[in-house]
Amino acid sequence: MESFKSMRDFMEVLDREGELVRISCAVDKDWEISTIARQMCFSYKLDQRPALLFENIRGFSMPLLLNETATPKRAAMALGIFVDDPAERRKLMREKFWRAYENRVSPKLVEKAPCKENILMGDEVDLTRLLPVPIWTPGKDAGPYITAGGTVSRDPETGEQSIGNYRLQLKGKNKLGIYAGDGQDTFYHWRKAFALNKPLPVAVVIGPPPTVLFPQIYRVPFDELSIAGGFDGKPLPVAKCETSDLLVPAYAEIVIEGEIPPNVFEEEGPFGEAFGVISPQRPRPIINVKAVTFRHNPIYHAFMSSYVPGTASATRASIKPYFVYNTLRMAGVPEIRDIYLPEAATGTQILIVSIKKMWAFHPRHVMFAIWGSKASHDCKFIIVTDEDVNIRDPFELNRAIFMNVNPARDVVIIEGGSWTIDPSVGMSTEQRATTATKMGIDATRPYKYDIALPEEEHFRKVKERWSEYGIKPLERILEILF
Ligand SMILES: Cc1cc2nc3c(=O)[nH]c(=O)nc-3n(C[C@H](O)[C@H](O)[C@H](O)COP(=O)(O)O)c2cc1C
C-alpha cells in the first residue's frame, strides 16, 4: 500500500481502525487541551496512547488533531505499512525510508490544489479567530503556540527550498514570532536575508501529508519535498503560494503565507520546551502574515512539546531510528542491526545502536558518523552494543554496559554543539557556566569471553522436562544467547 496523500485520509483510517478517540465535549484551548494530552501521555505506555481529535473547542469551528503518528504502529500505517509484528514492521520501515532517500522525486506543480479551497488575503486574516492554537504550558508560556507548523523558506543565495518544524508564537491577528535554532535551515535563510537587508518570504504548512511531516521534523540533508515523493516513488503534488514563489503541499490542511522582515527582532517566549523546562524570553525574528489558504473543513494539527512523555517525543521515538539508519548508511558505516531512541530522552538525546562488530573502532565509527551529520549532530548520548543485545530491553542494555565498559577506555566525551535548550547547562546566559558535552559509550564486548552458563544442551533437556518440575510454564522474558 502507498502512503496517505493527506492527513485527513490517514485520520479516517485511524478512526476505522480504532486508533483515534474523538473528544466531542466542549474543551478550552488555553489550558484544557494541553492538560488532557499530558494526562493521557502520563497514563499509558507509548504503544497504548491513541490519536486524539478535539472536535468541540470553545469559540472555534476547527477541530484539532494530536498524536496521530506517535506510535511505531501508526507511523508505519501513515506510510501504508499495516504490519503487526514489530520486527517485520521495522524491516519494512527501514526499506521505505532508505528508498525515500535513494529514489528522491521532485515535487510536481498541480492546477487544482485543495489547500486553496479558501483564500484570505491581507486584512481578512485574523489567526487568533481562525485557528484554535492552544497554550501548551498554561500560566507559563508567553501565549498560544503553533507547534506543528512546517516553515517553508528558500536560501536567498542558492534558491533551495526547505521545510522545518519551528515553534511559532501567535502574537496577534497577523503576526507570529519564530524560533529556528542555530544551524537549522530557516536560521541560515533569515541570517542571509538579513545580511542583504531583504525580507525572507515564508509559508507555514499545517496538517501536511505524513510523508512531508516526517522529514519536516528531522534535519534531512536533501529537499524534504523530494523525500516525500521518494517514499512511494511518485512526485508530491504542490501548489505555488499566493504571495511568493514558495511551493507547498497541495493537500495540506492550512497554509499561512508571510515574510520575515529584515533585522526586526522582538521578544519571543517564555515557552515550555521539548527538553522539559521553561526557556526564557529572547529577541527573535517575526513573521508578518499576508495570506492564509485552507481546505474546506480544515483540521488544525498540533504537537505537544513538553516535559516527557509527550506527543512530539513519541513521534520522534517512532520515526527517528529510520532517519538515523539512513545517516549511517550514507556515511558507509556497515553492519547496523538495530537503532533505538527512548522516548524518555525526547526520542533524540539518547541513541542506542547495535552492530555486528567487525573491528575494534567500529563502534566509534558509528558515533562519529552520527555526530558529524547534519541530522544528529545534537545527540547527547550514543551507546553502541553488540548485535545480540536487545537494545529495547533495559535489563540487557544495563548488563552489556556493566560487563563490557571500562570507562577510562570506552567512553568518548566531546564538547559543544548541543541544543541551547539543554537544561543540564542552564538556558540563560547567566546560567551557562559551561558548554554542553556529549558522550559515546562503546558497550560492545572488548574481547571474546566465555559466558558463565551451563551448556546449551543442558538447557534444552531442562526445557523438555519443564512440566515435570511443577514450576509454572516458561515465559520468554530474556533470551539465552550462546
Ligand atoms: C514539535 C517539534 C517542535 C520543534 N520546535 C523547534 C523549534 O522551535 N526550533 C527549532 O529550531 N527546531 C525545532 N524542532 C526541530 C526541527 O523541527 C528539526 O530539527 C527540523 O529538522 C529542522 O528543519 P531543517 O532540517 O529544515 O533545518 C521541533 C521539532 C518538533 C517535532
Side-chain angles (χ1 to χ4, degrees), residues 180-423:
D182 298 1
Q184 306 286 38
D185 286 348
T186 300
F187 163 86
Y188 290 121
H189 298 173
W190 70 251
R191 293 261 309 225
K192 287 184 183 182
F194 284 18
L196 299 166
N197 204 27
K198 283 193 172 153
L200 181 74
V202 293
V204 175
V205 176
I206 299 174
T211 51
V212 175
L213 184 72
F214 292 162
Q216 166 182 318
I217 62 171
Y218 190 69
R219 278 188 228 99
V220 293
F222 309 112
D223 167 25
E224 288 85 353
L225 302 189
S226 70
I227 291 176
F231 280 112
D232 295 303
K234 273 168 77 172
L236 177 85
V238 290
K240 204 143 81 75
C241 279
E242 299 299 302
T243 61
S244 70
D245 67 351
L246 293 171
L247 301 176
V248 291
Y251 287 84
E253 293 292 327
I254 302 157
V255 179
I256 303 170
E257 300 184 17
E259 60 182 30
I260 300 182
N263 300 304
V264 175
F265 296 91
E266 287 185 12
E267 293 299 333
E268 188 268 342
F271 181 70
E273 284 290 358
F275 282 23
V277 293
I278 303 290
S279 68
Q281 198 171 61
R282 293 260 171 82
R284 295 204 164 107
I286 59 160
I287 298 175
N288 288 324
V289 176
K290 295 164 129 186
V292 185
T293 73
F294 51 95
R295 295 186 73 163
H296 293 322
N297 305 314
I299 300 164
Y300 181 79
H301 177 238
F303 279 119
M304 181 178 62
S305 143
S306 67
Y307 183 66
V308 290
T311 75
S313 51
T315 305
R316 280 191 293 252
S318 302
I319 61 158
K320 194 157 173 175
Y322 308 105
F323 282 122
V324 173
Y325 173 73
N326 281 0
T327 298
L328 288 170
R329 188 158 169 182
M330 283 199 310
V333 186
E335 305 292 348
I336 305 301
R337 290 295 186 261
D338 197 5
I339 298 174
Y340 175 56
L341 295 116
E343 191 202 359
T346 77
T348 60
Q349 295 300 296
I350 297 179
L351 171 57
I352 312 165
V353 185
S354 64
I355 61 171
K356 179 172 163 55
K357 186 163 119 182
M358 304 300 282
W359 59 297
F361 291 107
H362 192 174
R364 284 177 202 230
H365 193 191
V366 171
M367 295 172 202
F368 291 120
I370 291 169
W371 283 327
S373 70
K374 173 188 178 187
S376 291
H377 61 78
D378 58 332
C379 181
K380 196 164 163 186
F381 298 98
I382 301 175
I383 305 170
V384 186
T385 75
D386 288 302
E387 61 178 329
D388 55 10
V389 177
N390 175 2
I391 55 177
R392 287 146 212 285
D393 183 333
F395 190 100
E396 292 201 24
L397 186 63
N398 288 337
R399 186 172 61 190
I401 291 174
F402 117 79
M403 284 182 76
N404 298 333
V405 178
N406 179 356
R409 182 195 60 202
D410 298 323
V411 173
V412 182
I413 293 185
I414 57 172
E415 246 192 57
S418 178
W419 280 90
T420 49
I421 59 173
D422 183 334

Side-chain angles (χ1 to χ4, degrees), residues 120-193:
L120 300 176
M121 299 292 293
D123 282 345
E124 292 173 319
V125 175
D126 184 349
L127 298 181
T128 62
R129 297 169 82 96
L130 182 70
L131 306 178
V133 186
I135 296 180
W136 295 102
T137 309
K140 297 185 183 173
D141 282 359
Y145 267 86
I146 297 174
T147 47
T151 297
V152 180
S153 57
R154 276 190 200 283
D155 185 312
E157 286 168 3
T158 66
E160 263 172 62
Q161 188 179 290
S162 162
I163 180 168
N165 203 89
Y166 311 117
R167 74 179 190 225
L168 301 154
Q169 183 182 345
L170 185 55
K171 289 187 159 215
K173 71 191 203 93
N174 55 10
K175 187 158 85 172
L176 300 165
I178 178 167
Y179 169 47
D182 298 1
Q184 306 286 38
D185 286 348
T186 300
F187 163 86
Y188 290 121
H189 298 173
W190 70 251
R191 293 261 309 225
K192 287 184 183 182

Side-chain angles (χ1 to χ4, degrees), residues 19 21 40 43-51 67 70-72 74:
E19 292 278 341
V21 173
M40 188 274 287
S43 303
Y44 303 105
K45 289 210 159 91
L46 187 148
D47 279 350
Q48 306 302 318
R49 298 180 208 148
N67 214 39
T71 67
R74 291 203 295 274

